[in-house]
Amino acid sequence: MYSEKVMDHFINPRNVGEISEPDGVGEVGNARCGDIMKVFLRIEDNVIVDVKFKTFGCAAAIATSSMATELIKGKSVDEALAVTNKSVTEALDGLPPVKLHCSVLAEEAIQKAIEDFKEKQETKVGA
Amino acid sequence: MKKRIYFDHAATTAINREVLEAMLPYYSQEFGNPSSIHSYGQQAKKAVDQARDKTAKVLNAGFDEIFFTGSGTEADNWAIHGVAMANKKKGNHIITSAIEHHAVLYTCQRLEKAGFRVTYLPVDRYGLVDPKQVESEIGPDTILVSIMLANNEIGTIQPIKEIGKITKEKGVYLHTDAVQGVGSIAIDVCDMNIDLLSLSAHKFYGPKGIGALYIRKGTKMTPLLYGGAQERNRRAGTENTPGIVGLATAIELARSNMEENNQRLIKMRDRLIDGVMTKIDNVVLNGHPELRLPGNANLSFEFIEGESMLLSLDLKGIAASSGSACTSGSLDPSHVLLAIGLSHEIAHGSLRLSLGIDNTEEEIDYFLDTLPEIVARLREMSPLFLQKKGGYSYV
């Protein structure tokens, strides 16, 4: 049911882990629905120099988390914001229809982490 | 070929060699239609009659109380719908439980739309229905009680005999979905006061596409299909002779080897459960510790999700099942796991291992060697847990 790419990213997920004192962090989903993703960003000069994630969920949730982090690594914050669930799904050669909602998780987690980064920036500027 | 281990016998089983051989002639040389008058028809009719007799004997039922159907689902649908339609002048109330198979639940829901009132009895944390509650829910308008013999997910075996005493006394029909129970639970429809019982051959090493409904003589119910005179005018359609022969051979074999098989299965199952609980922290056993099907182990692993476990196990050659939402295509985990009071997160992390007669102690060893790594890897990835010295806890 899953593409080879999905299975690859499920078996060998890229960028699993945490970043201590991240520049941005975002967590979305809830255990009730069966998937949660937490993204940690290290951002220097507006470029995502490192990204890590932790995900509770099915193979599709883990694979989309992995692929999404790959897509934004080394990219500018604006480029990362342009990554959508559609681009993640395409990069994985598609997902079964019932699993499409899983890919929204990664998009939302990244957006939330970048929002967090921007808020932190503002606080810094304000101080 | 890669090592493959099948721990999903509650889903379906491989057909027994002896059963298959008994069926084969009825596909080719004895292919006649049992309704035909000639020798081909007579041979097929004889086979169907013999199969009906064998099946009836295993359940302590009468020859003319066994009706062959296309599946367990069909038997469940017919039992409930048939009784409801034929008895609606007497009453419109049906009692069932919250943990029934969807073949029963959805039939009841359909009847609710048609004006029937359905009580879905809750179960305790082990998945048991309380017979006292059945008794107190029966009113003057109650026509049917439908409680499964054993649950397909958590394996809990219900006190059907006790419930049967109550329904008999109250003059209400009792249907039991015995799809998971046949082959590992001794069934005597007279002693247990069962009026209707559904079963399905592929759950006890018989063929797919054939089931049966036991209907106690005198039970008022409408036919399932209209057409020919097959199944005493109640279920029209040319008989699936090979399937019927297969069902009967399989049920006889399962009954005669039951005690021996159960002993072996219980030993393997308990070693599997104990092994998992010893090797892995934060695991919950779902279902009843003793009143459970011999081959059923249902465990929830905190902090991780079922489908991830299933796929990881499959990559290691182990076939299992889960009650997680992601395996059902819906957003909610299994209704059974929620009914026994599990939180959504624990229900999402469930794993069902259903053992069968072809499993070996070596396979249990391999599973116990394989699972801890899989759980550890997924937990390592999960934002839900913090590894602590000597244990886990939620973040």
Side-chain angles (χ1 to χ4, degrees), chain A residues 43-86:
Chain A
I43 299 173
E44 285 169 14
D45 298 330
N46 231 33
V47 170
I48 296 167
V49 293
D50 197 11
V51 50
K52 297 277 186 214
F53 80 89
K54 283 208 160 180
T55 291
F56 161 82
C58 63
I62 291 169
T64 50
S65 303
S66 166
M67 180 55 90
T69 55
E70 282 288 273
L71 291 178
I72 64 163
K73 208 173 185 177
K75 299 281 168 66
S76 72
V77 168
D78 286 342
E79 282 170 324
L81 281 173
V83 169
T84 62
N85 73 309
K86 200 164 168 260

Side-chain angles (χ1 to χ4, degrees), chain B residues 248-321:
Chain B
T249 315
I251 201 170
E252 244 190 354
L253 264 174
R255 184 61 191 93
S256 58
N257 300 328
M258 195 176 80
E259 278 78 17
E260 194 188 321
N261 286 341
N262 283 356
Q263 246 182 8
R264 233 187 106 239
L265 285 174
I266 288 170
K267 194 170 154 253
M268 282 197 289
R269 176 200 72 193
D270 288 347
R271 199 162 73 80
L272 183 149
I273 293 172
D274 293 345
V276 170
M277 301 286 232
T278 313
K279 289 184 167 202
I280 305 173
D281 290 324
N282 295 69
V283 183
V284 188
L285 175 68
N286 300 318
H288 198 280
E290 281 114 38
L291 298 173
R292 71 186 303 135
L293 288 171
N296 175 290
N298 189 312
L299 300 152
S300 277
F301 297 79
E302 292 187 55
F303 321 116
I304 55 178
E305 194 276 332
E307 194 219 56
S308 298
M309 270 189 283
L310 290 189
L311 277 172
S312 304
L313 282 167
D314 191 44
L315 290 165
K316 299 281 183 185
I318 300 167
S321 164

Side-chain angles (χ1 to χ4, degrees), chain B residues 31-250:
Chain B
F31 63 89
N33 186 328
S35 301
S36 301
I37 206 86
H38 45 62
S39 69
Y40 292 89
Q42 287 167 24
Q43 284 299 327
K45 177 83 167 67
K46 204 171 126 196
V48 169
D49 282 350
Q50 276 173 358
R52 200 184 305 280
D53 188 50
K54 280 184 190 177
T55 308
K57 284 200 171 102
V58 170
L59 302 173
N60 195 25
F63 173 85
D64 47 8
E65 294 178 317
I66 301 296
F67 296 82
F68 293 109
T69 63
S71 63
T73 292
E74 188 184 306
D76 281 340
N77 273 245
W78 184 17
I80 296 163
H81 195 263
V83 166
M85 288 303 145
N87 295 276
K88 60 185 173 192
K89 277 189 187 147
K90 188 187 164 218
N92 72 339
H93 181 225
I94 294 166
I95 299 170
T96 187
S97 87
I99 63 163
E100 297 298 310
H101 190 276
H102 286 137
V104 167
L105 287 180
Y106 290 168
T107 306
C108 287
Q109 285 174 16
R110 181 73 196 82
L111 286 171
E112 279 183 290
K113 282 184 187 155
F116 286 84
R117 188 167 65 84
V118 181
T119 301
Y120 300 91
L121 291 176
V123 291
D124 69 9
R125 57 192 280 241
Y126 299 117
L128 281 172
V129 169
D130 181 358
K132 285 198 198 90
Q133 235 178 328
V134 175
E135 187 165 15
S136 65
E137 290 293 339
I138 295 177
D141 58 345
T142 308
I143 49 175
L144 174 70
V145 172
S146 178
I147 305 286
M148 68 201 323
L149 181 59
N151 184 266
N152 48 312
E153 292 186 42
I154 55 173
T156 302
I157 298 170
Q158 301 297 344
I160 291 300
K161 194 174 165 175
E162 273 182 71
I163 296 171
K165 266 185 208 152
I166 296 163
T167 50
K168 192 189 176 189
E169 202 185 288
K170 300 264 185 182
V172 173
Y173 290 130
L174 172 63
H175 166 247
T176 189
D177 169 358
V179 166
Q180 292 288 334
V182 172
S184 43
I185 299 170
I187 297 168
D188 180 327
V189 291
C190 294
D191 181 50
M192 296 161 102
N193 288 307
I194 296 166
D195 299 298
L196 303 115
L197 178 144
S198 313
L199 59 91
S200 176
H202 75 104
K203 305 289 191 186
F204 48 86
Y205 313 96
K208 292 170 183 64
I210 185 78
L213 180 65
Y214 152 77
I215 306 174
R216 181 184 293 282
K217 221 175 194 173
T219 302
K220 273 189 199 147
M221 67 187 295
T222 56
L224 175 70
L225 299 173
Y226 301 89
Q230 294 92 351
E231 304 301 291
R232 301 167 64 84
N233 286 315
R234 288 175 143 181
R235 201 270 185 192
T238 299
E239 295 87 342
N240 171 3
T241 311
I244 289 169
V245 168
L247 183 149
T249 315

